[in-house]
Amino acid sequence: MPKEDVPDSRGYFGVYGGSFVAETLVSALEDLKNEYQRARADKQFMAEFHHELKHYVGRPSPVFHAQRWSARLGGAQIYLKREDLNHTGAHKINSAMGQALLARRMGKKKVIAETGAGQHGVATATVAARFGMECVIYMGADDIARQSPNVFRMKLLGATVKAVTSGSRTLKDALNEAMRDWVTNVNSTFYILGTAAGPHPYPMLVRDFQAVIGEECLWQMPELAGRQPDAVIACVGGGSNAIGIFHPYLAHPSVRLIGVEAGGKGLGTGQHAAPLASGASAGVLHGFRSYLMQNADGQVIETHSVSAGLDYPGVGPEHAWLKDSRRAEYVAINDDEALQAFHDLCRFEGIIPALESSHALAQAAKMAPQMDKDAILLVNLSGRGDKDINTVAQLAGITLS
Ligand SMILES: *Cc1c(COP(=O)(O)O)cnc(C)c1O
């Protein structure tokens, strides 16, 4: 695991991160931090984590040279890190697995989680079933209506799905409700967080569990392509798949790191989910300080993206820090551009990508034609797109039965 000295002992990445929580959670987060510190130094724990990743999740995920698509674009060679081939179809299982093992180590019998589109809910319900833990998933009532196949999946896996009817009845309300449950039942319950955000130590431990993505690329790229890539590209919602592939590359300063946020209908329209690329200001939400989409009064504003997994007004604190330090660059890709990349990957490579990942693919498609044919772009294909086919059909005016 990477041993960089961020965050500091209070969870700060520069001026971002920290822990802004109710008094009742302070000692729970302190316990979690201490237990995690012991776990990451414990060879047996790490061996078990990697055993589960190999035999249950199906790692290492391959790297694939998208030769036909690259040739069509007429420039750089594009390689795809296939997180879509993991059990449950995305990168989220990496960190859900690590956190479930931590929960077991801490003797917690129940896990809870928040979910928006349902992907993190499914990953959490999966690891809970794997280890025989009780599982409660908080989900906004509007999201439940929009994502019924994922709700049914969670129930099949034995989880209880609780509808959240407060606020905008979506992800950020589900997060508040999950926090409330945790405050009340903190002794028996482990909170499995879905992205590299939230109060310290979550951004750090989610990053460390997801860093397996980049660690594999470090040996896979020389093997397949003969060298490390010129740039690594990943989509950024809360930032977990991006920090997972970026982090091991921080020690390789010649590799550009490019995070792609959801530009929605365009940065100029205000209807997007791109706090970093749009030049938003910093604020506190869900227990940590970072860039945040807010109005002049500090009220969090509504976000928009064609992909539910990128539809979040904040961003993990390490990305805020990487932006300020300029080690990573952050750009936005609009709904239309992401959809084009979605269809191109389907047609030219036989891979249906998640709409989230399609944002990273679209950025590669923008850059590749400007580059030499021996340049190399590595894109994190964070998930498969089967979950998105209804959205894509609807946008094309097709109704699926
Ligand atoms: C949830 C999700 C994302 C966004 O979350 P990050 O924490 O930013 O990685 C991206 N891709 C897929 C496939 C997802 O399910």
Side-chain angles (χ1 to χ4, degrees):
M1 289 219 168
K3 290 198 173 45
E4 261 67 30
D5 52 359
V6 287
D8 68 17
S9 61
R10 288 157 51 245
Y12 279 90
F13 303 84
V15 297
Y16 306 106
S19 184
F20 299 81
V21 294
E23 196 59 40
T24 36
L25 286 185
V26 171
S27 70
L29 288 164
E30 192 67 23
D31 288 350
L32 175 59
K33 186 180 89 178
N34 293 333
E35 193 60 41
Y36 174 61
Q37 231 109 47
R38 284 190 288 271
R40 91 200 288 201
D42 178 349
K43 284 205 180 72
Q44 208 178 327
F45 178 86
M46 293 312 299
E48 188 172 16
F49 176 54
H50 286 284
H51 182 91
E52 291 295 328
L53 290 182
K54 180 174 176 187
H55 297 281
Y56 188 73
V57 174
R59 306 202 68 93
S61 66
V63 171
F64 172 70
H65 183 189
Q67 252 168 317
R68 291 193 62 228
W69 191 42
S70 303
R72 224 187 135 81
L73 291 165
Q77 301 306 307
I78 300 175
Y79 288 77
L80 307 175
K81 177 61 170 166
R82 300 289 310 273
E83 291 299 295
D84 60 313
L85 294 177
N86 293 337
H87 181 43
T88 70
H91 67 290
K92 287 199 171 75
I93 190 88
N94 301 327
S95 138
M97 178 58 76
Q99 291 180 72
L101 288 172
L102 263 182
R104 202 178 59 171
R105 185 182 164 98
M106 294 174 84
K108 311 273 167 133
K109 301 264 185 305
K110 177 183 158 193
V111 295
I112 59 171
E114 83 296 339
T115 196
Q119 294 305 107
H120 177 57
V122 169
T124 301
T126 298
V127 293
R130 162 76 185 86
F131 294 115
M133 292 165 169
E134 185 189 343
C135 179
V136 176
I137 304 293
Y138 289 90
M139 191 167 182
D142 287 1
D143 287 336
I144 288 183
R146 283 190 293 218
Q147 308 286 343
S148 54
N150 270 343
V151 176
F152 190 58
R153 267 182 205 113
M154 289 180 243
K155 289 182 178 167
L156 285 173
L157 293 161
T160 305
V161 181
K162 289 207 173 154
V164 177
T165 53
S166 54
S168 59
R169 301 154 61 100
T170 58
L171 175 63
K172 75 179 153 59
D173 313 290
L175 230 150
N176 288 331
E177 209 52 42
M179 283 280 181
R180 206 160 301 152
D181 180 330
W182 200 34
V183 166
T184 320
N185 302 298
V186 72
N187 288 324
S188 61
T189 304
F190 189 101
Y191 184 178
I192 297 190
L193 218 140
T195 189
H200 184 58
Y202 281 105
M204 172 178 74
L205 66 87
V206 170
R207 172 198 72 196
D208 291 349
F209 291 136
Q210 291 292 358
V212 66
I213 303 172
E215 284 159 8
E216 289 171 1
C217 293
L218 280 182
W219 60 262
Q220 289 171 316
M221 286 307 292
E223 203 176 275
L224 187 65
R227 64 177 177 90
Q228 299 300 346
D230 297 295
V232 175
I233 304 172
C235 66
V236 177
S240 70
N241 87 87
I243 205 68
I245 196 166
F246 286 179
H247 205 257
Y249 277 104
L250 289 177
H252 297 249
S254 64
V255 179
R256 281 173 72 189
L257 305 175
I258 302 170
V260 185
E261 293 184 310
K265 301 199 164 132
L267 292 189
T269 66
Q271 293 193 59
H272 59 80
L276 294 174
S278 69
S281 51
V284 171
L285 180 71
H286 298 138
F288 67 104
R289 184 166 187 277
S290 186
Y291 286 102
L292 184 60
M293 289 178 55
Q294 52 193 336
N295 64 20
D297 302 328
Q299 299 283 349
V300 176
I301 55 181
E302 288 288 308
T303 52
H304 166 83
S305 170
V306 68
S307 78
L310 299 185
D311 210 347
Y312 180 64
V315 62
E318 192 159 4
H319 288 292
W321 179 72
L322 288 172
K323 175 188 155 91
D324 283 10
S325 69
R326 306 219 176 128
R327 177 61 187 92
E329 307 152 57
Y330 295 88
V331 297
I333 283 289
N334 298 348
D335 289 351
D336 291 346
E337 298 169 314
L339 272 166
Q340 182 65 49
F342 173 95
H343 286 294
D344 287 349
L345 204 72
C346 290
R347 294 297 289 273
F348 300 126
E349 299 292 354
I351 297 171
I352 303 178
L355 283 174
E356 290 85 358
S357 325
S358 299
H359 287 71
L361 293 165
Q363 177 62 23
K366 232 180 217 184
M367 291 170 65
Q370 330 286 338
M371 301 172 84
D372 288 341
K373 284 195 172 56
D374 58 359
I376 298 177
L377 297 174
L378 173 61
V379 178
N380 198 11
L381 187 54
S382 54
R384 65 178 179 227
D386 304 56
K387 69 185 177 60
D388 294 316
I389 58 171
N390 275 305
T391 306
V392 174
Q394 232 166 36
L395 289 168
I398 299 164
T399 314
L400 303 181
S401 60

